[in-house]
Amino acid sequence: MNDQRKGDKMAISLFERTEKKYVLSRTRYAELFDRIGDKLSDDAYPRSVVSSIYYDDPQDTMINRSNEKPLYKEKLRLRAYCPVSAGDAVFVELKKKFKGITYKRRVQLARDDAYAYMNGLPYEIALEHSLERGLDLPALDDWQTAQIVREIDATLARYRSLSPSMMIIVDRLAKRTNDGSDVRVTFDIDARWRQNALRFESGMQATPLFPDGDVIMEVKCQGSYPLWMARAFADMKLYPQPCSKVGIAYTRAHATGAQKEVYCA
């Protein structure tokens, strides 16, 4: 079992970093690994199925703003490293982006308690329920946890009638540079989406985001790329590009006339 599902007081809850995305064909993905694979090592959780449920209001305000590519945008989601049962921990995550810098704030709750929290249950009660299930989570008197909950609560209050809007599922390969530069590189394979059955327990089947099987590579760092990485990308003419999985899925859903499911606990 992925230890993140058990609840972990040491799980990173604050992020501030640059994240650059690249879309690679399967051929280019294999070529890149031939070039730099020996300079990458497995991350702490090298292989996982990452499932994210995005929340929005009936007007799809957050995703519409995000697709306009403003200086500031935000997304609110539940994220799980599937599969998870009712008592396994998932992340409640607020993701903000301002002038190209990504800021993430997240806390953990048991799966069903996270659903209830997003549906209006006060966090302190949801936390009590999760602790009763045996999860090892920070108390609200932890200053960092309290601040994150305030930010998430403010976002929940700012948008009316938030509900699950889109689910994104990927098979993720997570690597880290082994030269001490502490750059993380993730590869999202078989990215897929759905607008119904917006629950983690509803399985991993969904519509492919890229019919040709393209891979989304994301480089996460707090400084510059290592020289060997920058040279490899330049030689292969790889350039970062905007690639919001939920934004692409939203556009595809509207193109096909798909209707999102409205769920109330």
Side-chain angles (χ1 to χ4, degrees), residues 85-245:
S85 65
D88 286 332
V90 303
F91 288 104
V92 182
E93 185 172 277
L94 176 63
K95 181 178 180 180
K96 305 177 182 182
K97 194 167 187 178
F98 180 63
K99 293 185 176 180
I101 304 297
T102 298
Y103 304 86
K104 290 183 183 178
R105 306 287 186 265
R106 66 187 195 180
V107 292
Q108 287 178 294
L109 289 169
R111 186 197 72 190
D112 286 4
D113 301 326
Y115 291 151
Y117 171 51
M118 296 296 286
N119 204 43
L121 184 71
Y123 179 83
E124 56 268 27
I125 297 176
L127 177 61
E128 286 179 10
H129 293 170
S130 293
L131 293 174
E132 289 169 0
R133 297 177 191 270
L135 295 184
D136 185 24
L137 302 175
L140 261 179
D141 59 5
D142 173 81
W143 72 268
Q144 190 176 88
T145 300
Q147 175 59 32
I148 293 169
V149 171
R150 282 194 292 269
E151 290 188 40
I152 294 174
D153 282 348
T155 303
L156 287 167
R158 192 159 57 250
Y159 298 92
R160 295 192 175 189
S161 304
L162 286 178
S163 65
S165 178
M166 181 72 69
M167 192 165 190
I168 302 293
I169 305 164
V170 301
D171 299 330
R172 176 163 292 179
L173 175 64
K175 296 286 187 177
R176 185 180 295 274
T177 53
N178 53 25
D179 61 358
S181 56
D182 199 31
V183 175
R184 293 186 65 238
V185 186
T186 59
F187 300 90
D188 287 347
I189 302 162
D190 192 22
R192 48 211 189 268
W193 65 274
R194 66 177 186 240
Q195 276 198 305
N196 52 37
L198 300 178
R199 309 276 285 185
F200 294 122
E201 61 269 33
S202 297
M204 299 294 102
Q205 299 301 311
T207 302
L209 196 65
F210 299 111
D212 293 331
D214 290 349
V215 175
I216 301 172
M217 177 178 69
E218 189 165 359
V219 180
K220 311 166 195 283
C221 61
Q222 293 183 322
S224 57
Y225 290 8
L227 184 57
W228 56 263
M229 180 180 284
R231 284 175 173 168
F233 287 8
D235 289 345
M236 292 183 62
K237 295 182 171 55
L238 297 181
Y239 306 107
Q241 61 188 93
C243 183
S244 165
K245 292 183 286 289

Side-chain angles (χ1 to χ4, degrees), residues 17 27 32 62 74 94 126 170 209 232 238:
R17 62 194 182 195
T27 300
L32 181 64
M62 278 191 273
E74 60 188 358
L94 176 63
V170 301
L209 196 65
L238 297 181

